[in-house]
Amino acid sequence: MIIKDQLRAIPLPVICRREGKDCYYDPYRQKLVEVTPEEMVRQKITAFYEKEYDVPKDMFWLEVPMSYYIQGSRGRADVIIHGRDEMTGELYPIGVIECKNEETFLTDQTADQAIRYCDLIGGRYILLTNGVELKAAVYDQESDSYIYMDHIPTYEEMLGEEMIPELEESNASSEDEFVRFTMEELNEQALMEQYNDEGPWIFGLESPSWLKSFSVNLFQCLLDTDHILPPYECPVFELIQDVGLRDMDYVNGGGGHFHGLYRSFLVKDRFGEMQLISMSVFGTDPDFRGENRKSYTLLNVAVDTLKTSHNVLQYNLDKYACLTEDSVKFYHNGRMGRRKKSQVLDTVQHLGAGLKLDHKGIFIGELPTDRLLYLDDKKVCPLIYNLIEYTLLRDEVRKKKD
């Protein structure tokens, strides 16, 4: 099947610069990836198969190491398509897409590589493409071989006829509707404690009652993808895209893990570099490494590069957030690991756009306490923008040589 014209009609992600390289923000892997001819085909064929053949977005895994499925296995598949087990909810592989650039012919060697991956993971379908042509083959048990098909299989066909009713039923209820707490519920401490205990801690055990309620409000604000952070530009950065939620695990220098759902934003810094900034709220573990620490509430902000990621701001809400009559004001003293506070303060003073210095330190912004928080609320946006700005300026300080 010739698909060149169809793929050309599919837009690629916006090209941006990171570490001197052109890159995309990949909506499937949810990270920055380097632009290559193969990556262009990978992005287009995945979007094409999602749009034309009804594969749910979260059923695609891109550039998957074979060792993920079979320990010690070598190689990395371009795209693996999955199904979902109706009983357990777990994903299982059903097919492999092997991508080559437009200058490469689809040969028996290309098919052999896809077959090897498909056999290894227990799939049934292989698809081969170079961005011009698309071929599909299915495993035939009687001949113990892959037979080329005269059409491109839909997702339902790849799952198998016996799975179609279950698929339709599961799609209707596969995602639970996200429901925010009301202000009345946020003020019910027993409900907040129950909510905290049922998942990753959102607030610390020793945080005051008002902060527990406020932290849940802020956390759910970040989870609420019905509300998108509006575009924004200042001398320090330009907000390119609110990319929504990502399940991430960021580790700090002390070995602490902060794993959970983060709200992520794609921004261009003042040097023209693309940055992926993520933030979430956590309650810290008092028994971390057996050190019997205090359990407080933390706003964690991290930055992803092309290959690595790191925490930039671990904001202790118990220590720095100030409750007033109708708002919570966010201050910080500029503390940053081994760097001198004066370096951070000087950087903010000279380069800060939304950030301000006063007698209490760096004023980041404030949030109201009398309403639910939403990212597109004019009372909320400035704080999120300033957190992004502060993260970028702190990262500049981190990169400077002594």
Side-chain angles (χ1 to χ4, degrees):
M1 176 181 178
I2 303 301
I3 59 170
K4 186 174 184 178
D5 290 341
Q6 290 163 284
L7 289 193
R8 282 182 173 174
I10 295 176
L12 284 163
V14 176
I15 294 179
C16 48
R17 296 289 289 178
R18 188 73 173 96
E19 300 175 1
K21 299 177 180 179
D22 287 341
C23 59
Y24 299 130
Y25 174 75
D26 173 26
Y28 299 98
R29 283 167 283 184
Q30 295 186 309
K31 67 177 186 178
L32 295 169
V33 297
E34 187 177 351
V35 174
T36 65
E38 289 78 13
E39 184 60 40
M40 294 172 66
V41 174
R42 195 179 294 124
Q43 289 290 322
K44 282 181 172 285
I45 195 64
T46 307
F48 171 74
Y49 223 88
E50 178 188 358
K51 178 181 178 181
E52 299 296 331
Y53 294 95
D54 301 321
V55 182
K57 186 175 181 178
D58 57 349
M59 294 295 107
F60 291 108
W61 289 5
L62 277 62
E63 283 205 301
V64 189
M66 290 298 97
S67 58
Y68 181 86
Y69 298 93
I70 304 293
Q71 188 173 3
S73 298
R74 296 183 178 181
R76 186 183 295 266
D78 284 304
V79 183
I80 296 181
I81 300 174
H82 295 80
R84 187 184 298 278
D85 187 284
E86 291 300 312
M87 298 298 293
T88 66
E90 295 181 355
L91 302 187
Y92 62 92
I94 58 177
V96 172
I97 304 179
E98 183 66 22
C99 302
K100 301 297 181 183
N101 63 56
E102 290 190 4
E103 305 300 322
T104 303
F105 292 108
L106 301 180
T107 63
D108 290 341
Q109 186 177 2
T110 306
D112 288 343
Q113 185 175 5
I115 289 171
R116 181 171 70 85
Y117 291 155
C118 199
D119 285 346
L120 188 68
I121 65 177
R124 190 180 175 202
Y125 290 86
I126 63 168
L127 297 110
L128 315 174
T129 187
N130 56 5
V132 177
E133 187 178 5
L134 178 61
K135 295 181 179 181
V138 61
Y139 176 73
D140 177 66
Q141 194 167 4
E142 289 187 10
S143 63
D144 191 25
S145 63
Y146 285 80
I147 300 174
Y148 281 102
M149 307 173 69
D150 59 2
H151 67 284
I152 304 302
T154 65
Y155 186 53
E156 289 185 350
E157 184 177 352
M158 295 174 76
L159 288 173
E161 290 183 2
E162 71 280 1
M163 293 296 293
I164 292 175
E166 287 82 356
L167 173 68
E168 292 175 348
E169 181 181 347
S170 66
N171 280 345
S173 59
S174 59
E175 292 186 8
D176 294 330
E177 183 181 359
F178 174 62
V179 179
R180 296 284 300 267
F181 285 125
T182 64
M183 287 303 299
E184 290 76 13
E185 289 171 329
L186 286 171
N187 290 320
E188 293 181 22
Q189 287 302 302
L191 181 60
M192 295 299 97
E193 296 288 351
Q194 179 183 355
Y195 183 65
N196 206 44
D197 290 340
E198 287 177 348
W201 284 354
I202 300 158
F203 51 77
L205 301 180
E206 299 175 54
S207 296
S209 296
W210 72 264
L211 184 51
K212 293 176 180 179
S213 300
F214 177 79
S215 299
V216 173
N217 194 358
L218 177 57
F219 178 70
Q220 291 197 330
C221 170
L222 295 174
L223 293 189
D224 192 345
T225 54
D226 287 336
H227 297 264
I228 305 299
L229 187 65
Y232 177 76
E233 187 173 359
C234 71
V236 178
F237 74 94
E238 176 186 358
L239 175 65
I240 303 300
Q241 184 182 357
D242 178 341
V243 299
L245 296 176
R246 300 193 302 155
D247 187 347
M248 302 297 295
D249 185 7
Y250 294 104
V251 183
N252 63 15
H257 284 260
F258 297 93
H259 176 230
L261 289 175
Y262 285 76
R263 191 62 172 262
S264 297
F265 309 97
L266 190 63
V267 304
K268 183 187 294 184
D269 67 21
R270 67 190 188 94
F271 303 104
E273 288 277 291
M274 203 63 66
Q275 308 270 12
L276 191 57
I277 295 179
S278 304
M279 59 183 70
S280 191
V281 185
F282 294 92
T284 63
D285 183 359
D287 297 322
F288 177 64
R289 297 191 308 193
E291 296 178 0
N292 194 25
R293 300 183 176 190
K294 288 185 176 181
S295 177
Y296 56 88
T297 304
L298 183 77
L299 174 63
N300 196 52
V301 190
V303 171
D304 287 46
T305 68
L306 278 174
K307 302 295 182 182
T308 61
S309 60
H310 57 277
N311 287 311
V312 177
L313 177 63
Q314 293 176 286
Y315 185 84
N316 186 331
L317 285 155
D318 292 63
K319 183 176 181 179
Y320 296 113
C322 301
L323 178 66
T324 68
E325 184 177 348
D326 57 1
S327 71
V328 175
K329 296 181 181 292
F330 287 66
Y331 286 93
H332 199 245
N333 62 4
R335 182 178 178 183
M336 184 179 168
R338 298 178 181 178
R339 297 290 182 181
K340 295 179 180 179
K341 290 193 297 184
S342 59
Q343 292 179 280
V344 177
L345 295 173
D346 288 345
T347 300
V348 169
Q349 184 174 18
H350 288 95
L351 298 175
L355 300 170
K356 305 298 179 185
L357 292 181
D358 63 22
H359 66 283
K360 290 186 178 181
I362 301 167
F363 178 61
I364 303 173
E366 62 183 310
L367 293 176
T369 56
D370 60 350
R371 66 173 104 174
L372 293 183
L373 304 174
Y374 297 101
L375 283 182
D376 52 5
D377 186 328
K378 292 182 179 179
K379 292 287 188 178
V380 177
C381 297
L383 177 82
I384 304 299
Y385 296 144
N386 287 347
L387 282 170
I388 294 173
E389 176 180 313
Y390 190 37
T391 299
L392 291 172
L393 294 180
R394 285 172 64 87
D395 213 30
E396 281 191 40
V397 174
R398 183 188 65 85
K399 295 174 182 177
K400 289 179 180 179
K401 294 182 180 179
D402 293 319

